[in-house]
Amino acid sequence: MANHKSSIKRIRTSATKRLRNRYQAKTTRNAVKKLRGMNNKAEASELLRKVSSMLDRLAKKNVIHKNKAANNKSKLTKFVNSLS
């Protein structure tokens, strides 16, 4: 167990941040899966804007690496452009 007051606070805040990060990452992964399952280009392009924003936010907060976000956005954009 932690001995210092500040380390006890740090444990508490890191647990809160961890839960928030896990929730946001899971929500983004579900949105990516939903986008991949679409076959209507208009709806997919609308959702792509939201998913791209979510990925950028995760990369900004270092939940995922910035290159992973860029790769995902690139592949999703190619997918949406291939829809008819």
Side-chain angles (χ1 to χ4, degrees), residues 1-8 11:
M1 186 63 205
N3 292 323
H4 297 281
K5 199 173 205 176
S6 62
S7 60
I8 293 169
I11 290 168

Side-chain angles (χ1 to χ4, degrees), residues 20-72:
R20 187 181 307 122
N21 289 340
R22 285 182 64 201
Y23 171 77
Q24 290 174 346
K26 185 68 172 178
T27 306
T28 304
R29 280 198 305 272
N30 288 338
V32 168
K33 286 178 190 173
K34 183 179 177 185
L35 180 59
R36 285 239 175 249
M38 289 186 151
N39 44 18
N40 183 355
K41 189 169 187 168
E43 291 176 11
S45 61
E46 187 66 33
L47 185 60
L48 177 65
R49 289 178 54 235
K50 293 177 182 169
V51 171
S52 295
S53 173
M54 293 167 100
L55 288 168
D56 285 336
R57 214 173 298 134
L58 288 179
K60 181 181 174 185
K61 295 177 180 178
N62 289 324
V63 177
I64 61 173
H65 195 272
K66 65 178 183 174
N67 289 350
K68 181 181 175 73
N71 286 335
N72 281 342

Side-chain angles (χ1 to χ4, degrees), residues 1-2 4-20:
M1 186 63 205
H4 297 281
K5 199 173 205 176
S6 62
S7 60
I8 293 169
K9 289 181 194 174
R10 175 60 76 183
I11 290 168
R12 198 167 51 230
T13 57
S14 62
T16 305
K17 286 181 183 179
R18 178 177 166 271
L19 287 176
R20 187 181 307 122

